[in-house]
Amino acid sequence: MHMEKGSIIDIEVSKLAFGGKGLARVDGFVVFCDRALPGQTVRAEVNTVRKGFAEARLLEVLTPSPKQVEPFCKHFGQCGGCSWQDLDYAEQLFWKREQVAESLRHLAGIADVTVAATVPSPVTRHYRNKMEFAFAGSLHLGLYERNAPGRVCDVTGCGLLSKKGAAMLNAVRDYCRTFGQPAYDHKTGKGLWRHLIIREAQATGQTMVQLITSPRGDAAKAAQGLSDHLAAAFPDLTTFVHSTRQAKVALAVGERIESATGQGFIEERLGKTVFRISPDSFFQTNSLGAQKLYDTAMAAAGLTGTQTVWDLYCGSGGIALYAAARAKQVIGVDSSAMSIRDAKASAGENGLVNCEFVKGDVRQSLESLRIKKPDVVFLDPPRSGTHPEVLAALRLLRPGRVIYVSCNPSTLARDAAALLGDYRMDVVTPVDMFPHGPHIECVLGLVRADAPSTRK
């Protein structure tokens, strides 16, 4: 079959590819189709043709999938926040496991990889403790549209955010519309409103609203008015933070904190461990799922209370603090000053005297850490993966175990391949932190190759 841009094709979708698109084959030619599910027959329009594959957009579902379910959110399809609300949750877990296994087979070259069943999220709705919303025009506030990433969908309710969080979102939109200023335009550099971040600690009930604006002269007045408006509407709001951002790049990250009401942070609790979370510091976005993730990582590490542990790319210290009760000494490293401050504060709050946190680039910090040689190393890097120099240093240090916590199976496979030979795979366990979305968290346990096997 000759395929070109604009072609209308009927295809049978056989699987979900990494990233969330449906995959079909036409005369051996791979076609990726957004919003298509395994088991569906769909009519699609080809919009890109490349060597070996094409990309298409869904026009019509001709035959539904037996695993298809009714979406629970009125914005599904338009909003880009969810991809798989119309797919049975057990099927979502299945495909996430398959994608991890496929990445390790094809990118790490491991033919016989065994991947455990995906650990499900304890809850699948209203599970997010953090959501980022964008402002646009005069005036929209919500999430970017699925098929038009530059446009913002005015989300009035969300199945991932709590009902209280949704009420706050709507209150912010209403107030900002009355203020009379447009949203920031990152192309022209003009406008006021940029992003809104709502964080809710699920165990403690504490809530943070962070407003990010451009650093205009009226920004302080706008933020103060919004802060007063929310304090009146939501008396239990823990803290309101106003940040500014000068850079045109559309990221929901403040460059400077201008003001804060309340304590300026919130606290979450996982098990017996309390975590401080400040604006712009990293913490897993699914609190109940994070506890499952950390428990899985601890099981892979085999901590007995006698080991020296490194937590590289530690963020606000999630894994390090969780491991502290099970280790002799824990050292966390991260480049974010705010995250390290949170980690130190959390260690003090929990009375953990065996934790040390270092602010610095992981690659550049390894030399100074060598005097405290690790028995176990946790790696929890960003989506881009671990720097090759860090992997090379670990091969020289030869810790007994390396536990790689990844949010990207592709870079996980690439980095695992660099360690194989010196290490062997002990356990691979996907953990679902993002129900109804294609993102995948995974725990890979690596044991030094010369260590005796303890698994049957």
Side-chain angles (χ1 to χ4, degrees):
M1 174 182 178
H2 178 67
M3 195 172 300
E4 58 186 22
K5 184 176 180 179
S7 298
I8 306 299
I9 55 176
D10 292 349
I11 52 177
E12 295 182 7
V13 182
S14 60
K15 63 191 295 186
L16 283 175
F18 176 59
K21 294 183 178 181
L23 184 150
R25 295 181 185 274
V26 179
D27 297 332
F29 195 76
V30 173
V31 179
F32 297 103
C33 184
D34 189 34
R35 298 180 60 187
L37 301 176
Q40 288 181 338
T41 301
V42 304
R43 182 160 293 154
E45 180 182 10
V46 176
N47 49 33
T48 303
V49 179
R50 303 188 187 279
K51 184 177 181 180
F53 71 94
E55 295 183 359
R57 68 181 185 93
L58 179 70
L59 297 177
E60 180 185 359
V61 175
L62 303 175
T63 306
S65 166
K67 302 295 184 178
Q68 205 168 324
V69 296
E70 190 67 25
F72 53 82
C73 178
K74 64 183 179 181
H75 297 296
F76 180 70
Q78 179 188 12
C79 170
C82 291
S83 301
W84 296 343
Q85 273 191 29
D86 52 350
L87 182 63
D88 178 74
Y89 184 59
E91 195 74 358
Q92 295 180 33
L93 299 177
F94 170 81
W95 285 110
K96 290 186 178 186
R97 178 194 176 278
E98 289 298 297
Q99 289 165 11
V100 170
E102 187 171 347
S103 293
L104 291 170
R105 281 195 298 265
H106 293 304
L107 300 179
I110 308 168
D112 58 347
V113 61
T114 300
V115 179
T118 305
V119 177
S121 175
V123 294
T124 60
R125 299 189 191 183
H126 311 296
Y127 64 85
R128 287 190 67 100
N129 59 40
K130 176 187 178 183
M131 289 199 69
E132 301 172 354
F133 301 97
F135 290 94
S138 57
L139 187 77
H140 302 287
L141 173 61
L143 298 170
Y144 289 112
E145 293 189 9
R146 182 165 181 170
N147 295 320
R151 289 207 305 262
V152 168
C153 171
D154 280 313
V155 174
T156 56
C158 177
L160 306 187
L161 182 67
S162 74
K163 293 182 179 179
K164 175 184 174 182
M168 287 182 169
L169 171 67
N170 293 327
V172 171
R173 184 190 301 109
D174 291 342
Y175 171 83
C176 293
R177 283 177 174 171
T178 66
F179 192 78
Q181 291 294 339
Y184 178 83
D185 186 329
H186 67 90
K187 294 180 181 178
T188 65
K190 297 180 180 180
L192 176 62
W193 316 101
R194 298 199 64 164
H195 287 91
L196 179 76
I197 302 170
I198 298 176
R199 303 183 87 148
E200 302 175 86
Q202 295 174 346
T204 66
Q206 296 181 15
T207 307
M208 176 194 298
V209 172
Q210 181 184 8
L211 172 71
I212 302 177
T213 69
S214 60
R216 289 173 28 152
D218 56 352
K221 178 182 177 182
Q224 185 60 55
L226 178 58
S227 176
D228 293 343
H229 179 70
L230 291 177
F234 304 95
D236 57 346
L237 176 63
T238 306
T239 188
F240 177 90
V241 178
H242 173 218
S243 301
T244 54
R245 180 176 177 83
Q246 180 72 51
K248 289 186 176 182
V249 179
L251 293 177
V253 178
E255 295 171 338
R256 175 185 171 89
I257 294 178
E258 302 291 345
S259 63
T261 63
Q263 60 193 22
F265 60 86
I266 59 174
E267 291 181 323
E268 179 63 290
R269 185 175 63 252
L270 304 183
K272 297 180 179 180
T273 308
V274 176
F275 300 86
R276 175 178 294 194
I277 307 170
S278 292
D280 302 316
S281 65
F282 174 78
F283 190 79
Q284 295 286 350
T285 57
N286 180 342
S287 295
L288 295 177
Q291 187 164 348
K292 292 284 187 181
L293 179 71
Y294 294 167
D295 285 340
T296 302
M298 295 306 120
L303 299 180
T304 61
T306 62
Q307 297 101 325
T308 294
V309 174
W310 287 4
D311 181 8
L312 304 183
Y313 312 95
C314 70
S316 53
I319 291 175
L321 294 163
Y322 205 78
R326 304 165 175 82
K328 177 182 178 181
Q329 181 182 29
V330 180
I331 302 172
V333 183
D334 198 90
S335 60
S336 167
M338 184 174 288
S339 291
I340 291 297
R341 285 197 299 270
D342 280 354
K344 290 180 177 179
S346 297
E349 180 73 18
N350 289 281
L352 299 172
V353 296
N354 62 337
C355 289
E356 177 183 347
F357 291 98
V358 178
K359 189 268 176 187
D361 178 86
V362 169
R363 177 169 47 111
Q364 297 171 356
S365 300
L366 290 180
E367 187 61 38
S368 63
L369 295 177
R370 289 176 188 271
I371 58 173
K372 301 173 182 177
K373 185 176 178 180
D375 301 298
V376 176
V377 173
F378 290 98
L379 291 172
D380 190 4
R383 290 186 61 80
S384 56
T386 305
H387 195 283
E389 290 183 20
V390 175
L391 298 173
L394 291 179
R395 293 176 67 179
L396 292 175
L397 285 166
R398 304 180 75 244
R401 289 178 182 263
V402 175
I403 312 302
Y404 198 132
V405 180
S406 170
C407 59
N408 186 342
S410 297
T411 52
L412 170 68
R414 179 200 68 196
D415 295 345
L419 293 172
L420 293 178
D422 295 273
Y423 288 86
R424 67 173 185 269
M425 288 191 184
D426 187 45
V427 60
V428 186
T429 308
V431 181
D432 189 28
M433 302 284 285
F434 309 98
H436 317 301
H439 297 298
I440 306 171
E441 203 82 15
C442 184
V443 175
L444 168 63
L446 295 160
V447 179
R448 213 166 61 201
D450 58 1
S453 176
T454 59
R455 294 187 179 271
K456 296 181 181 180

